[in-house]
Amino acid sequence: MVEPLQRLSPVDLRAAVTAYRDALRAHKEAINRLNVYPVPDGDTGTNMTLTVEAVVAELDGTDDMPGTCTAIAHGSLMGARGNSGVILCQVLRGLCEVWKGVESVDAAILAESLRAASDAAYQAVAHPVEGTILTVAAAAAGGAAQAPADLTAVLHAAREAAQEALERTPELLPVLKQAGVIDAGGAGFVLLLDAFLNVVAGHALPEPAQTADAAAAVAHAGGVASGSHHGEGGRYEVMYLLEGTDEAVAALKEAWDDIGDSIAVVGGEGQWKCHIHTDDVGAAVEAALDAGGRPRQILVTDLEGQVEEQRWVREHQAPADPAVRTAVVAVASGAGVTEIFRSLGAGVVPGGQSMNPSTAELLAAVEAVPADQVVLLPNNGNIVPVAKQVDGLTAKTVRVVPSRSVAEGLAAMIDYDAGQDADGNAGAMTEAAGRVVPGEVTRAVRAAPSEAGPIAEGDWLGLSAEGIEVVAQSAAAAATTLLDKLVTADHELVTVLAGEDADPADAAAVQAWLEEHRPGVAAEIHDGGQPLYPFLFSIE
């Protein structure tokens, strides 16, 4: 039997963080599947796991206490994902504030650091709510403070108090009680204490729940992580890294309080991770600029679309079909576009222009599909580089077809073969995507020069794969002029996806133009429902 440790060295702390990463990896899907809160910020298990993955990567090469604490604090700040990841970041930074001033961590220092972590987490949240990870962290600190001066005893007391608080979270937060689950962020926090017990006393890390039934798994993992759920929240989750002063952060928080919910801001020394749920994405970003700060690495997630996607996954998830060697995950927005991709066999991640999904969201979708090989269709040039990161983050084989438009993605799906391997599918689907000519119609948000002529704010633009082809005064004019440039005698089919703001009269005008000017080309018009783009064209 291994003699329990009485002090934690930097090496031991790194081992504990690594064990925590391993525990989160094992429990990630159990927590994700129970994430039933009406407005989740991504998948809680995935977000917490990726946050700690960034910490472990940052720890490489550290050998003393100050370096270890700096790596944990910086890695968690830069890697924080979702509200749960942001609050977890602040927990880890609170621990490090105490640890960085000592050579090793004994029982008294550990208890002190747990209190500091709890206090830091509460301070990070604009409107703290009990029944969340905050409650569980506070209980752990309280339990540790009452324990004998022994490292194992402190951890046992903290873990027991945290578990008891976790099981009480449904009594404190009605939405959890209604769903029949405990708080997921709190469950993730308890795993942190399990990881320390693994290193200090040799205790085995707990096994994840083996059921996806929320009601049957209440005692194992939870459904939501936040710490702040006042009000109605908003449709979009906005996150970014803010470079700014303490004064800028104070001004940002004040401005954000008027436009959203689930507000969390963590960091220091000029760098802050900021998180909000809001209906006004522009205002959420502009608030940083108005406060004199500089927002970077901006991530926007459509939470309503995410809820629908998670519902679909829960309803359709099944054991892997041996006939399905390769699954497809596509990025899309709009009810019609989404349904078309699903009808062709793809799982869908909500996103597109102005709403690029994060690596974490793509990874969660890849993990959810019932196949060990996956093809990713980003369907937007900005998302291609993000999609290429996923293969290195999962045990599954992931290949990216670099589709830069919905039209290319749909063309690729026609050549998808579920029985083929990922490499074979990626090759055939990439070739198919290259055969289609995409076109898009949207509206200019600012004045700018272009090769098609000067653009004024509000002008209608026709875009091809080469860039802006048309500047017009109406959506119909932009659409028909673009088609005139792109559709040749060699083409046989034009598929039109009408967006959520498309005028039926404009759609009729497009169809009439094709019948008159390209009579040899078949035309199909579908309700795509996509935002921002009243018309998407796929020309074959």
Side-chain angles (χ1 to χ4, degrees):
M1 180 177 180
V2 178
E3 186 72 20
L5 300 176
Q6 294 304 315
R7 305 186 74 92
L8 288 163
S9 69
V11 172
D12 298 322
L13 293 177
R14 291 197 298 274
V17 172
T18 302
Y20 185 34
R21 188 257 336 254
D22 295 342
L24 284 171
R25 281 178 173 177
H27 288 256
K28 177 182 64 176
E29 288 306 319
I31 294 174
N32 284 347
R33 290 172 186 168
L34 296 169
N35 194 351
V36 294
Y37 197 78
V39 186
D41 10 330
D43 285 321
T44 300
T46 298
N47 285 339
M48 297 183 84
T49 302
L50 289 178
T51 300
V52 180
E53 295 274 10
V55 175
V56 173
E58 193 87 8
L59 283 169
D60 188 32
T62 59
D63 57 6
D64 59 9
M65 190 64 76
T68 297
C69 290
T70 297
I72 292 172
H74 186 260
S76 63
L77 178 67
M78 301 303 291
R81 296 289 185 135
N83 208 23
S84 51
V86 170
I87 296 174
L88 177 59
C89 163
Q90 195 71 341
V91 166
L92 296 174
R93 291 172 68 87
L95 295 172
C96 289
E97 278 299 309
V98 176
W99 296 345
K100 69 181 182 182
V102 301
E103 291 184 1
S104 61
V105 176
D106 63 13
I109 292 169
L110 180 60
E112 179 187 351
S113 68
L114 286 170
R115 172 53 61 194
S118 173
D119 292 345
Y122 272 91
Q123 292 165 10
V125 177
H127 302 277
V129 169
E130 298 303 328
T132 65
I133 184 175
L134 301 179
T135 303
V136 179
Q146 302 300 316
D150 173 83
L151 201 57
T152 303
V154 167
L155 284 168
H156 271 302
R159 206 253 180 228
E160 183 177 354
Q163 182 64 34
E164 290 177 357
L166 179 62
E167 293 171 358
R168 291 196 307 271
T169 54
E171 302 304 317
L172 299 173
L173 201 55
V175 68
L176 296 178
K177 187 172 184 178
Q178 182 179 4
V181 297
I182 54 178
D183 180 69
F189 181 89
V190 171
L191 288 176
L192 174 63
L193 301 174
D194 288 324
F196 272 95
L197 281 167
N198 173 259
V199 172
V200 169
H203 292 188
L205 293 173
E207 293 294 322
Q210 297 301 310
T211 176
D213 184 340
V218 166
H220 300 286
V224 58
S226 173
S228 173
H229 293 299
H230 84 292
E232 295 299 321
R235 172 168 181 164
Y236 300 103
E237 177 188 57
V238 181
M239 290 188 68
Y240 52 72
L241 186 68
L242 176 68
E243 294 178 352
T245 63
D246 292 356
E247 292 76 15
V249 169
L252 173 74
K253 289 180 177 178
E254 184 176 353
W256 270 13
D257 206 37
D258 292 331
I259 64 169
D261 197 350
S262 290
I263 297 167
V265 179
V266 305
E269 300 179 352
Q271 286 194 324
W272 309 81
K273 202 63 173 276
C274 308
H275 174 283
I276 185 174
H277 291 171
T278 182
D279 288 322
D280 194 338
V281 175
V285 177
E286 289 167 5
L289 301 172
D290 293 342
R294 180 191 174 200
R296 297 193 295 109
Q297 300 178 17
I298 300 169
L299 294 175
V300 179
T301 303
D302 181 349
L303 297 175
E304 288 186 11
Q306 189 180 71
V307 169
E308 171 61 21
E309 178 62 19
Q310 290 178 344
R311 179 198 63 76
W312 183 87
V313 168
R314 286 196 301 271
E315 290 179 357
H316 292 77
Q317 199 165 38
D321 182 346
V324 179
R325 294 183 64 188
T326 303
V328 176
V329 170
V331 179
S333 62
V337 173
T338 297
E339 185 55 38
I340 292 171
F341 273 108
R342 286 178 177 163
S343 70
L344 294 171
V348 178
V349 176
Q353 194 68 14
S354 83
M355 296 186 298
N356 296 170
S358 66
T359 308
E361 292 169 287
L362 296 179
L363 176 62
V366 165
E367 297 287 6
V369 294
D372 293 330
Q373 300 186 58
V374 184
V375 170
L376 268 175
L377 290 173
N379 299 333
N380 184 284
N382 291 333
I383 304 173
V384 172
V386 178
K388 290 182 177 179
Q389 306 304 310
V390 176
D391 185 53
L393 300 173
T394 176
K396 294 187 177 185
T397 298
V398 180
R399 297 293 180 261
V400 177
V401 172
S403 52
R404 298 178 179 275
S405 67
V406 169
E408 292 176 5
L410 291 173
M413 285 301 302
I414 300 303
D415 278 26
Y416 163 55
D417 180 355
Q420 175 67 275
D421 63 19
D423 288 319
N425 267 303
M429 294 170 73
T430 299
E431 184 177 342
R435 291 195 296 265
V436 71
V437 177
E440 302 171 341
V441 173
T442 189
R443 201 162 199 177
V445 296
R446 63 180 62 86
S450 78
E451 293 188 3
I455 299 170
E457 181 180 350
D459 281 347
W460 290 95
L461 308 178
L463 295 83
S464 73
E466 305 302 320
I468 298 172
E469 301 273 3
V470 176
V471 180
Q473 297 302 302
S474 70
T480 54
T481 306
L482 179 65
L483 289 170
D484 195 28
K485 290 177 174 288
L486 300 182
V487 182
T488 71
D490 295 329
H491 293 124
E492 299 176 348
L493 174 66
V494 175
T495 302
V496 182
L497 295 173
E500 63 180 1
D501 296 323
D503 188 323
D506 289 341
V510 168
Q511 186 167 19
W513 186 92
L514 286 167
E515 291 173 354
E516 179 180 355
H517 296 276
R518 299 293 188 273
V521 176
E524 296 180 357
I525 298 183
H526 301 279
D527 181 11
Q530 68 276 0
L532 303 178
Y533 291 80
F535 294 108
L536 298 177
F537 301 127
S538 175
I539 304 165
E540 304 173 61

